[in-house]
Amino acid sequence: MTEQSKSALRWQRKDLLGIRELSAEEITFILDTADAFKEVGTREIKKVPALRGKTLVNFFVEPSTRTRTSFEIAAIRLSADVINISASASSLTKGETLKDTAKILEANHADIIVLRHSSSGAPQFLAERLTSSIINAGDGAHEHPTQALLDLYTIRERKGAVAGLHVVIVGDILFSRVARSNIFGLLKLGARVTLVGPSTLVPREFEKLGVTVSYDIDEILPTADVVNLLRIQHERQRKEYFPGIGEYIRLFGLTKDRAKRLKPDCLIMHPGPINRGVEIDSELADGAQSVILDQVTNGLAIRMAVLYLCGGIATP
Amino acid sequence: MTNKQNTRTSSATPPVMDGEAITRALRRIAHEIIERNPELGSVILAGIPSRGVEIARRIADIVQSLAQTSVETGVIDVSMHRDDVGKRAELPRVQASRLPLPLENKTVIIVDDVFFTGRTARAAMDAISSFGRPARIQLAALIDRGHRELPIRVDYVGKNLPTAVGERVRLRLENVDGEPDAVWLVKEEKA
């Protein structure tokens, strides 16, 4: 863990809305905190009383299994009480506004609200109106901060540091909140980022963020230290953006043949759920270079850290 | 902010313990640990970050040189086990805890710099029990400043330092703070 800063920074945020507004120091602070929570997972008793007496509401207006489960296990290990609400079970379907639903949650003493929503900015909307801690678990095509943090954590754990690495993000960038949060985080920690994918999904405009855009994956792979393959989001896709599965595999899929171009110590990442045989060859997903399962385990430590920090400070 | 003000105040007043006094206090603690633990091989010195870890390391060195037996050391961070969740406006960095396992049949000695309300020691006992069930848990502190809020006492104490509630014990250790070893008693500045 070479990037641990010894600075005297102390955590002061009640909400985690995105990576964009965090400083490099704050990101490192969360990663260091996650180190401590990863250690808790090795104890005989894997539960700590940090959030005892707090109530956490998992409010997922958009479906999700892995993120919701990860937040739920994280909250349970911190001794918080957890309530899960899905869109179909909430009064949103009866015409109640998001604000009113959230006000009801707060009136029921929800200390922490973990929100997944299809509209960009929904978490910020709530954070400005409620005293509860708001954690963004993915909002539209905007940000998915805990996913980026667990990716950064996994890279730092395997490579010792993020600074100086060349990270290649492949696939559906345009619709991807994971890509956006990752780009912000990687650049803040000093990595070099290249985006690769069909020009319809990886517009040149992204270069304004400080990344390189390429349409030739074979040229880029040999210099990559990390390859992060994003899921093709069929649900967000309109036909005209996407070249078709066969063509996508041929041009951008990480096939066994293509993987021979990678450095032997290049990490292969995927936020899941994997479309086996599309973004990545099935054998590669389970291979020695793949850290896909590490990402899941580290996601738990990251979410414990975020809930501990944002949920553990005094709110007015 | 108050830290800086206190730094200025304390440099003017003489310390209540200098480097030599701290070393003498740690030697006495080491002697008592040897005396009360015939099986030093089963002793673990678990320091509370950050200065407790340094003090545990120093005591372990002294025990080693006196008894020619090494004692194991560890780190026990109590942040996740504190009882003031949601009451602080800002949170410090949490460190990973690290104890030699298993703890069964071991004596874990919690090592803290300044023993005050007893709440940190309670949290440390809670943290240790999530790693296993040691034969016994004891407590060592360089300074006992009084004002207990829980029914907990210290087993090995370097110096009893009677204080007023409004006073603050300011400890500096060479390897942690980059300043010479010393202890001051400073008046808490009103914000």
Side-chain angles (χ1 to χ4, degrees):
Chain A
M1 302 297 113
T2 48
E3 272 176 11
Q4 286 209 1
S5 81
K6 294 288 170 201
S7 77
L9 178 80
R10 298 165 89 86
W11 187 262
Q12 295 178 318
R13 289 180 189 269
K14 81 170 175 73
D15 310 305
L16 178 69
L17 305 177
I19 300 294
R20 192 174 212 164
E21 62 260 31
L22 299 181
S23 66
E25 216 180 6
E26 285 176 303
I27 293 171
T28 305
F29 191 97
I30 298 173
L31 303 187
D32 292 349
T33 307
D35 269 339
F37 282 102
K38 191 160 185 184
E39 172 267 302
V40 173
T42 67
R43 294 184 190 180
E44 200 172 292
I45 296 168
K46 296 170 177 52
K47 185 167 178 167
V48 294
L51 293 184
R52 195 169 59 177
K54 296 265 184 184
T55 300
L56 177 142
V57 175
N58 258 331
F59 189 20
F60 279 62
V61 180
E62 220 184 34
S64 154
T65 308
R66 60 177 61 213
T67 304
R68 189 189 55 73
T69 308
S70 180
F71 269 112
E72 184 168 357
I73 296 173
I76 288 170
R77 288 201 172 170
L78 292 169
S79 304
D81 296 303
V82 186
I83 290 159
N84 290 303
I85 301 176
S86 61
S88 54
S90 79
S91 300
L92 288 175
T93 54
K94 298 176 191 164
E96 192 175 61
T97 63
L98 174 63
K99 184 183 166 188
D100 282 337
T101 304
K103 281 277 181 201
I104 300 300
L105 294 178
E106 189 173 57
N108 277 309
H109 302 289
D111 300 291
I112 306 165
I113 298 174
V114 178
L115 180 67
R116 157 77 54 105
H117 201 279
S118 53
S119 296
S120 302
Q124 179 161 358
F125 178 83
L126 291 191
E128 286 165 358
R129 285 161 180 82
L130 303 182
T131 55
S132 314
S133 287
I134 309 293
I135 311 295
N136 182 0
D139 61 332
H142 178 230
E143 284 230 42
H144 191 351
T146 56
Q147 178 68 45
L149 289 166
L150 73 88
D151 289 343
L152 292 168
Y153 184 90
T154 304
I155 294 170
R156 187 176 85 159
E157 184 179 60
R158 286 300 185 108
K159 294 287 189 182
V162 176
L165 297 179
H166 181 205
V167 179
V168 177
I169 304 177
V170 184
D172 178 1
I173 312 287
L174 185 59
F175 295 100
S176 174
R177 53 192 174 216
V178 175
R180 227 166 299 262
S181 291
N182 259 285
I183 291 167
F184 295 135
L186 287 164
L187 293 179
K188 280 171 198 274
L189 294 194
R192 192 157 65 85
V193 180
T194 303
L195 310 177
V196 186
S199 56
T200 46
L201 296 175
V202 190
R204 283 268 173 219
E205 277 73 38
F206 272 94
E207 296 198 328
K208 289 181 189 144
L209 295 175
V211 301
T212 309
V213 167
S214 167
Y215 302 117
D216 183 355
I217 190 169
D218 294 311
E219 183 188 87
I220 298 298
L221 288 183
T223 59
D225 298 300
V226 177
V227 177
N228 199 349
L229 304 159
L230 301 184
R231 184 174 65 88
I232 299 303
Q233 305 185 85
H234 300 291
E235 74 275 21
R236 264 182 244 286
Q237 221 61 263
R238 285 206 306 261
K239 254 209 308 260
E240 57 268 34
Y241 285 104
F242 194 69
I245 300 273
E247 191 179 340
Y248 184 86
I249 296 169
R250 192 168 57 75
L251 289 172
F252 300 105
L254 191 62
T255 57
K256 264 189 279 186
D257 222 26
R258 201 162 257 152
K260 288 178 189 147
R261 294 171 167 271
L262 293 173
K263 294 189 213 171
D265 63 346
C266 177
L267 305 179
I268 298 175
M269 306 178 79
H270 193 302
I274 308 173
N275 295 310
R276 282 178 186 268
V278 181
E279 301 105 6
I280 182 169
D281 176 88
S282 190
E283 261 180 60
L284 288 173
D286 306 320
Q289 283 176 282
S290 164
V291 291
I292 294 171
L293 289 177
D294 294 39
Q295 287 174 272
V296 177
T297 307
N298 291 339
L300 190 55
I302 282 290
R303 292 183 176 114
M304 285 176 82
V306 167
L307 294 178
Y308 167 80
L309 291 172
C310 293
I313 65 167
T315 45
Chain B
M1 192 97 149
T2 45
N3 260 343
K4 272 181 196 155
Q5 288 169 344
N6 285 331
T7 310
R8 260 179 254 128
T9 320
S10 57
S11 55
T13 50
V16 290
M17 285 176 96
D18 59 10
E20 221 170 280
I22 289 173
T23 305
R24 270 201 308 275
L26 295 182
R27 281 185 161 276
R28 199 177 54 255
I29 291 174
H31 274 289
E32 286 174 17
I33 288 174
I34 293 168
E35 208 174 285
R36 288 176 52 185
N37 294 281
E39 285 185 50
L40 281 172
S42 66
V43 169
I44 299 167
L45 297 175
I48 297 174
S50 51
R51 297 192 186 87
V53 177
E54 167 65 7
I55 293 170
R57 190 191 63 77
R58 291 193 194 183
I59 294 173
D61 283 353
I62 299 170
V63 170
Q64 162 85 44
S65 68
L66 290 173
Q68 309 302 323
T69 315
S70 65
V71 292
E72 292 187 284
T73 58
V75 175
I76 195 82
D77 190 297
V78 305
S79 309
M80 305 169 195
H81 299 267
R82 290 171 56 129
D83 59 5
D84 58 354
V85 58
K87 292 185 173 63
R88 288 175 289 170
E90 48 178 38
L91 294 174
R93 198 172 296 258
V94 187
Q95 276 188 34
S97 295
R98 181 178 50 76
L99 290 175
L101 300 175
L103 297 183
E104 278 60 29
N105 305 316
K106 295 287 177 70
T107 296
V108 180
I109 302 178
I110 299 164
V111 182
D112 200 1
D113 50 3
V114 179
F115 188 47
F116 185 23
T117 62
R119 288 178 191 269
T120 302
R122 185 213 59 80
M125 288 190 275
D126 188 36
I128 288 165
S129 67
S130 68
F131 284 88
R133 188 173 180 275
R136 60 188 69 79
I137 298 178
Q138 298 176 338
L139 180 61
L142 175 61
I143 290 158
D144 181 354
R145 63 164 293 186
H147 305 289
R148 217 72 69 232
E149 294 171 359
L150 295 173
I152 294 174
R153 64 172 173 77
V154 63
D155 298 282
Y156 310 99
V157 60
K159 184 181 177 66
N160 285 299
L161 190 61
T163 59
V165 180
E167 285 172 319
R168 212 167 57 85
V169 177
R170 181 175 182 275
L171 167 65
R172 287 295 174 266
L173 294 175
E174 183 86 59
N175 289 353
V176 179
D177 305 292
E179 290 176 43
D181 289 3
V183 177
W184 289 271
L185 204 53
V186 288
K187 293 256 183 293
E188 196 69 63
E189 311 253 336
K190 290 260 153 45

Short mmCIF file of all heavy atoms in Angstrom, two decimals, chain B residues 142-187:
data_model
loop_
_atom_site.label_atom_id
_atom_site.label_comp_id
_atom_site.label_asym_id
_atom_site.label_seq_id
_atom_site.Cartn_x
_atom_site.Cartn_y
_atom_site.Cartn_z
N LEU B 142 1.17 4.55 29.40
CA LEU B 142 2.30 5.39 29.84
C LEU B 142 1.84 6.35 30.92
O LEU B 142 2.53 6.57 31.91
CB LEU B 142 2.87 6.16 28.64
CG LEU B 142 3.98 7.16 28.93
CD1 LEU B 142 5.19 6.45 29.54
CD2 LEU B 142 4.38 7.91 27.66
N ILE B 143 0.66 6.93 30.74
CA ILE B 143 0.15 7.93 31.69
C ILE B 143 -1.28 7.59 32.08
O ILE B 143 -2.10 7.26 31.21
CB ILE B 143 0.20 9.34 31.06
CG1 ILE B 143 1.65 9.79 30.92
CG2 ILE B 143 -0.59 10.36 31.90
CD1 ILE B 143 1.85 10.84 29.89
N ASP B 144 -1.58 7.68 33.37
CA ASP B 144 -2.97 7.58 33.83
C ASP B 144 -3.36 8.95 34.35
O ASP B 144 -2.83 9.42 35.35
CB ASP B 144 -3.08 6.52 34.94
CG ASP B 144 -4.52 6.38 35.44
OD1 ASP B 144 -5.39 7.17 35.01
OD2 ASP B 144 -4.77 5.47 36.25
N ARG B 145 -4.29 9.61 33.66
CA ARG B 145 -4.63 10.99 34.03
C ARG B 145 -5.93 11.07 34.84
O ARG B 145 -6.39 12.14 35.19
CB ARG B 145 -4.72 11.88 32.80
CG ARG B 145 -5.80 11.50 31.81
CD ARG B 145 -6.08 12.63 30.83
NE ARG B 145 -6.69 13.77 31.52
CZ ARG B 145 -7.16 14.86 30.90
NH1 ARG B 145 -7.06 14.96 29.59
NH2 ARG B 145 -7.71 15.84 31.58
N GLY B 146 -6.53 9.91 35.14
CA GLY B 146 -7.74 9.90 35.96
C GLY B 146 -9.00 10.22 35.18
O GLY B 146 -8.99 10.18 33.95
N HIS B 147 -10.11 10.50 35.88
CA HIS B 147 -11.41 10.85 35.28
C HIS B 147 -12.08 9.69 34.57
O HIS B 147 -12.62 9.83 33.48
CB HIS B 147 -11.27 12.04 34.31
CG HIS B 147 -10.66 13.22 34.93
ND1 HIS B 147 -11.31 13.99 35.87
CD2 HIS B 147 -9.41 13.75 34.80
CE1 HIS B 147 -10.49 14.96 36.27
NE2 HIS B 147 -9.35 14.84 35.64
N ARG B 148 -12.07 8.51 35.21
CA ARG B 148 -12.69 7.32 34.63
C ARG B 148 -14.20 7.50 34.49
O ARG B 148 -14.85 8.05 35.37
CB ARG B 148 -12.40 6.10 35.51
CG ARG B 148 -12.18 4.84 34.75
CD ARG B 148 -10.84 4.83 34.02
NE ARG B 148 -9.72 4.76 34.94
CZ ARG B 148 -8.70 5.63 34.88
NH1 ARG B 148 -8.69 6.62 34.01
NH2 ARG B 148 -7.71 5.51 35.72
N GLU B 149 -14.74 7.02 33.38
CA GLU B 149 -16.20 7.02 33.19
C GLU B 149 -16.75 5.61 33.14
O GLU B 149 -17.96 5.40 33.01
CB GLU B 149 -16.55 7.76 31.88
CG GLU B 149 -16.21 9.25 31.95
CD GLU B 149 -16.35 9.98 30.62
OE1 GLU B 149 -16.69 9.32 29.61
OE2 GLU B 149 -16.11 11.20 30.60
N LEU B 150 -15.85 4.61 33.21
CA LEU B 150 -16.28 3.21 33.18
C LEU B 150 -15.50 2.45 34.26
O LEU B 150 -14.41 2.86 34.65
CB LEU B 150 -15.98 2.60 31.80
CG LEU B 150 -16.74 3.16 30.60
CD1 LEU B 150 -16.20 2.56 29.31
CD2 LEU B 150 -18.23 2.88 30.72
N PRO B 151 -16.04 1.32 34.74
CA PRO B 151 -15.36 0.56 35.80
C PRO B 151 -14.19 -0.25 35.25
O PRO B 151 -14.26 -1.46 35.12
CB PRO B 151 -16.47 -0.33 36.36
CG PRO B 151 -17.41 -0.52 35.21
CD PRO B 151 -17.35 0.74 34.41
N ILE B 152 -13.13 0.45 34.84
CA ILE B 152 -11.95 -0.19 34.25
C ILE B 152 -10.72 0.38 34.94
O ILE B 152 -10.66 1.57 35.23
CB ILE B 152 -11.89 0.11 32.72
CG1 ILE B 152 -13.06 -0.56 32.00
CG2 ILE B 152 -10.56 -0.37 32.14
CD1 ILE B 152 -13.17 -0.22 30.52
N ARG B 153 -9.74 -0.49 35.27
CA ARG B 153 -8.50 0.05 35.86
C ARG B 153 -7.31 -0.41 35.02
O ARG B 153 -7.40 -1.37 34.26
CB ARG B 153 -8.34 -0.41 37.31
CG ARG B 153 -8.19 -1.89 37.44
CD ARG B 153 -7.83 -2.34 38.83
NE ARG B 153 -7.87 -3.79 38.87
CZ ARG B 153 -6.91 -4.57 38.37
NH1 ARG B 153 -5.84 -4.05 37.79
NH2 ARG B 153 -7.03 -5.88 38.43
N VAL B 154 -6.21 0.30 35.19
CA VAL B 154 -5.01 -0.01 34.42
C VAL B 154 -4.12 -0.95 35.23
O VAL B 154 -3.99 -0.82 36.45
CB VAL B 154 -4.28 1.30 34.01
CG1 VAL B 154 -3.80 2.08 35.20
CG2 VAL B 154 -3.15 1.04 33.05
N ASP B 155 -3.53 -1.97 34.57
CA ASP B 155 -2.69 -2.95 35.26
C ASP B 155 -1.24 -2.49 35.38
O ASP B 155 -0.57 -2.75 36.36
CB ASP B 155 -2.72 -4.29 34.51
CG ASP B 155 -4.10 -4.88 34.46
OD1 ASP B 155 -4.53 -5.45 35.47
OD2 ASP B 155 -4.77 -4.74 33.40
N TYR B 156 -0.74 -1.84 34.34
CA TYR B 156 0.65 -1.37 34.32
C TYR B 156 0.63 0.11 33.96
O TYR B 156 0.21 0.47 32.87
CB TYR B 156 1.47 -2.13 33.28
CG TYR B 156 1.33 -3.63 33.35
CD1 TYR B 156 0.45 -4.30 32.49
CD2 TYR B 156 2.07 -4.38 34.27
CE1 TYR B 156 0.32 -5.66 32.55
CE2 TYR B 156 1.94 -5.76 34.33
CZ TYR B 156 1.06 -6.40 33.46
OH TYR B 156 0.92 -7.77 33.52
N VAL B 157 1.10 0.96 34.89
CA VAL B 157 1.04 2.39 34.61
C VAL B 157 2.44 3.01 34.72
O VAL B 157 3.20 2.70 35.64
CB VAL B 157 0.03 3.10 35.54
CG1 VAL B 157 0.40 2.93 37.00
CG2 VAL B 157 -0.11 4.57 35.18
N GLY B 158 2.79 3.85 33.73
CA GLY B 158 4.09 4.50 33.75
C GLY B 158 4.13 5.65 34.74
O GLY B 158 5.06 5.78 35.53
N LYS B 159 3.12 6.48 34.72
CA LYS B 159 3.07 7.62 35.63
C LYS B 159 1.62 8.03 35.88
O LYS B 159 0.83 8.14 34.96
CB LYS B 159 3.82 8.81 35.01
CG LYS B 159 3.90 10.03 35.95
CD LYS B 159 4.64 11.17 35.26
CE LYS B 159 4.67 12.43 36.12
NZ LYS B 159 5.47 12.29 37.36
N ASN B 160 1.29 8.21 37.18
CA ASN B 160 -0.01 8.77 37.52
C ASN B 160 0.10 10.28 37.46
O ASN B 160 0.92 10.88 38.14
CB ASN B 160 -0.42 8.33 38.93
CG ASN B 160 -0.88 6.89 38.94
OD1 ASN B 160 -1.85 6.53 38.28
ND2 ASN B 160 -0.14 6.05 39.66
N LEU B 161 -0.74 10.89 36.64
CA LEU B 161 -0.66 12.33 36.43
C LEU B 161 -2.02 12.95 36.73
O LEU B 161 -2.91 12.94 35.89
CB LEU B 161 -0.25 12.60 34.97
CG LEU B 161 0.12 14.02 34.58
CD1 LEU B 161 1.32 14.51 35.37
CD2 LEU B 161 0.42 14.08 33.08
N PRO B 162 -2.19 13.46 37.97
CA PRO B 162 -3.50 14.04 38.32
C PRO B 162 -3.76 15.27 37.44
O PRO B 162 -2.88 16.11 37.27
CB PRO B 162 -3.33 14.46 39.79
CG PRO B 162 -2.10 13.76 40.26
CD PRO B 162 -1.22 13.58 39.08
N THR B 163 -4.96 15.33 36.86
CA THR B 163 -5.27 16.43 35.94
C THR B 163 -6.65 16.99 36.26
O THR B 163 -7.47 16.34 36.91
CB THR B 163 -5.31 15.95 34.48
OG1 THR B 163 -6.30 14.93 34.37
CG2 THR B 163 -3.97 15.43 34.01
N ALA B 164 -6.89 18.20 35.78
CA ALA B 164 -8.25 18.75 35.78
C ALA B 164 -8.89 18.35 34.45
O ALA B 164 -8.19 18.10 33.47
CB ALA B 164 -8.21 20.27 35.91
N VAL B 165 -10.23 18.29 34.42
CA VAL B 165 -10.92 17.87 33.20
C VAL B 165 -10.57 18.79 32.03
O VAL B 165 -10.42 18.35 30.89
CB VAL B 165 -12.45 17.83 33.43
CG1 VAL B 165 -13.17 17.38 32.16
CG2 VAL B 165 -12.79 16.90 34.57
N GLY B 166 -10.42 20.08 32.31
CA GLY B 166 -10.15 21.05 31.25
C GLY B 166 -8.72 21.00 30.74
O GLY B 166 -8.40 21.69 29.77
N GLU B 167 -7.87 20.21 31.38
CA GLU B 167 -6.48 20.15 30.93
C GLU B 167 -6.32 19.04 29.88
O GLU B 167 -7.14 18.15 29.76
CB GLU B 167 -5.55 19.86 32.12
CG GLU B 167 -5.35 21.06 33.01
CD GLU B 167 -4.59 20.70 34.29
OE1 GLU B 167 -4.87 19.63 34.86
OE2 GLU B 167 -3.72 21.49 34.68
N ARG B 168 -5.23 19.14 29.11
CA ARG B 168 -4.97 18.15 28.09
C ARG B 168 -3.56 17.62 28.27
O ARG B 168 -2.64 18.39 28.60
CB ARG B 168 -5.09 18.80 26.71
CG ARG B 168 -5.59 17.88 25.61
CD ARG B 168 -5.96 18.71 24.37
NE ARG B 168 -4.83 19.50 23.93
CZ ARG B 168 -3.86 19.05 23.12
NH1 ARG B 168 -3.89 17.81 22.68
NH2 ARG B 168 -2.87 19.82 22.75
N VAL B 169 -3.39 16.32 28.12
CA VAL B 169 -2.05 15.74 28.18
C VAL B 169 -1.51 15.70 26.76
O VAL B 169 -2.12 15.10 25.87
CB VAL B 169 -2.07 14.32 28.78
CG1 VAL B 169 -0.69 13.71 28.76
CG2 VAL B 169 -2.63 14.36 30.20
N ARG B 170 -0.38 16.36 26.54
CA ARG B 170 0.19 16.40 25.20
C ARG B 170 1.46 15.56 25.19
O ARG B 170 2.44 15.88 25.86
CB ARG B 170 0.51 17.85 24.83
CG ARG B 170 1.08 18.03 23.44
CD ARG B 170 1.24 19.51 23.14
NE ARG B 170 1.74 19.72 21.80
CZ ARG B 170 3.05 19.71 21.49
NH1 ARG B 170 3.95 19.51 22.43
NH2 ARG B 170 3.43 19.91 20.24
N LEU B 171 1.42 14.46 24.44
CA LEU B 171 2.55 13.53 24.39
C LEU B 171 3.18 13.58 23.01
O LEU B 171 2.48 13.59 22.00
CB LEU B 171 2.04 12.11 24.69
CG LEU B 171 2.98 10.94 24.41
CD1 LEU B 171 4.20 10.97 25.32
CD2 LEU B 171 2.24 9.61 24.59
N ARG B 172 4.49 13.63 22.97
CA ARG B 172 5.19 13.56 21.70
C ARG B 172 6.23 12.45 21.78
O ARG B 172 6.96 12.34 22.77
CB ARG B 172 5.89 14.89 21.38
CG ARG B 172 4.91 16.00 20.97
CD ARG B 172 4.21 15.67 19.66
NE ARG B 172 3.17 16.63 19.30
CZ ARG B 172 1.89 16.49 19.60
NH1 ARG B 172 1.48 15.45 20.30
NH2 ARG B 172 1.00 17.40 19.23
N LEU B 173 6.26 11.59 20.74
CA LEU B 173 7.23 10.51 20.68
C LEU B 173 8.05 10.62 19.40
O LEU B 173 7.47 10.80 18.32
CB LEU B 173 6.54 9.14 20.73
CG LEU B 173 5.81 8.78 22.03
CD1 LEU B 173 5.08 7.44 21.87
CD2 LEU B 173 6.77 8.73 23.21
N GLU B 174 9.33 10.50 19.57
CA GLU B 174 10.28 10.67 18.47
C GLU B 174 9.83 9.98 17.17
O GLU B 174 9.67 10.63 16.14
CB GLU B 174 11.63 10.09 18.92
CG GLU B 174 12.75 10.26 17.91
CD GLU B 174 13.45 11.62 18.02
OE1 GLU B 174 13.98 11.88 19.13
OE2 GLU B 174 13.47 12.37 17.04
N ASN B 175 9.58 8.66 17.23
CA ASN B 175 9.33 7.91 15.99
C ASN B 175 7.96 8.16 15.38
O ASN B 175 7.72 7.79 14.23
CB ASN B 175 9.46 6.41 16.25
CG ASN B 175 10.90 6.03 16.49
OD1 ASN B 175 11.80 6.85 16.33
ND2 ASN B 175 11.13 4.80 16.89
N VAL B 176 7.04 8.75 16.15
CA VAL B 176 5.69 9.01 15.64
C VAL B 176 5.56 10.45 15.18
O VAL B 176 5.02 10.73 14.11
CB VAL B 176 4.62 8.71 16.72
CG1 VAL B 176 3.22 8.99 16.19
CG2 VAL B 176 4.74 7.26 17.19
N ASP B 177 6.05 11.37 16.01
CA ASP B 177 5.79 12.79 15.78
C ASP B 177 6.98 13.54 15.20
O ASP B 177 6.85 14.70 14.83
CB ASP B 177 5.38 13.45 17.11
CG ASP B 177 4.21 12.73 17.75
OD1 ASP B 177 3.12 12.81 17.18
OD2 ASP B 177 4.40 12.09 18.79
N GLY B 178 8.13 12.91 15.15
CA GLY B 178 9.32 13.61 14.68
C GLY B 178 9.79 14.70 15.62
O GLY B 178 10.48 15.64 15.22
N GLU B 179 9.36 14.62 16.89
CA GLU B 179 9.82 15.55 17.92
C GLU B 179 10.39 14.73 19.05
O GLU B 179 10.03 13.58 19.22
CB GLU B 179 8.64 16.38 18.48
CG GLU B 179 8.05 17.39 17.52
CD GLU B 179 6.84 18.08 18.14
OE1 GLU B 179 6.89 18.44 19.33
OE2 GLU B 179 5.82 18.20 17.44
N PRO B 180 11.29 15.31 19.87
CA PRO B 180 11.85 14.56 20.99
C PRO B 180 10.75 14.10 21.96
O PRO B 180 9.73 14.76 22.12
CB PRO B 180 12.78 15.55 21.68
CG PRO B 180 13.03 16.63 20.69
CD PRO B 180 11.85 16.67 19.77
N ASP B 181 10.97 12.93 22.60
CA ASP B 181 10.02 12.42 23.60
C ASP B 181 9.76 13.44 24.69
O ASP B 181 10.71 13.98 25.27
CB ASP B 181 10.62 11.17 24.29
CG ASP B 181 10.68 9.97 23.37
OD1 ASP B 181 10.32 10.11 22.19
OD2 ASP B 181 11.08 8.89 23.85
N ALA B 182 8.49 13.69 24.99
CA ALA B 182 8.16 14.58 26.11
C ALA B 182 6.66 14.55 26.37
O ALA B 182 5.87 14.22 25.49
CB ALA B 182 8.60 16.02 25.82
N VAL B 183 6.28 14.87 27.61
CA VAL B 183 4.88 14.98 27.99
C VAL B 183 4.65 16.35 28.62
O VAL B 183 5.42 16.78 29.48
CB VAL B 183 4.48 13.89 29.02
CG1 VAL B 183 3.03 14.07 29.46
CG2 VAL B 183 4.71 12.50 28.47
N TRP B 184 3.61 17.05 28.17
CA TRP B 184 3.21 18.33 28.77
C TRP B 184 1.79 18.25 29.27
O TRP B 184 0.99 17.47 28.75
CB TRP B 184 3.26 19.47 27.76
CG TRP B 184 4.61 19.91 27.32
CD1 TRP B 184 5.40 20.86 27.91
CD2 TRP B 184 5.33 19.45 26.17
NE1 TRP B 184 6.56 21.01 27.20
CE2 TRP B 184 6.55 20.16 26.13
CE3 TRP B 184 5.07 18.51 25.19
CZ2 TRP B 184 7.50 19.95 25.13
CZ3 TRP B 184 6.01 18.30 24.19
CH2 TRP B 184 7.21 19.01 24.18
N LEU B 185 1.50 19.07 30.23
CA LEU B 185 0.12 19.28 30.66
C LEU B 185 -0.26 20.66 30.17
O LEU B 185 0.37 21.66 30.55
CB LEU B 185 0.06 19.21 32.19
CG LEU B 185 -1.28 18.84 32.81
CD1 LEU B 185 -1.82 17.55 32.23
CD2 LEU B 185 -1.11 18.70 34.32
N VAL B 186 -1.28 20.75 29.30
CA VAL B 186 -1.64 22.06 28.76
C VAL B 186 -3.09 22.37 29.07
O VAL B 186 -3.95 21.50 29.08
CB VAL B 186 -1.40 22.14 27.23
CG1 VAL B 186 0.07 22.19 26.93
CG2 VAL B 186 -2.07 20.99 26.52
N LYS B 187 -3.35 23.64 29.33
CA LYS B 187 -4.72 24.12 29.55
C LYS B 187 -5.44 24.10 28.22
O LYS B 187 -4.92 24.58 27.21
CB LYS B 187 -4.70 25.56 30.08
CG LYS B 187 -4.12 25.66 31.48
CD LYS B 187 -5.20 25.86 32.52
CE LYS B 187 -4.63 26.05 33.91
NZ LYS B 187 -3.96 24.82 34.42
#
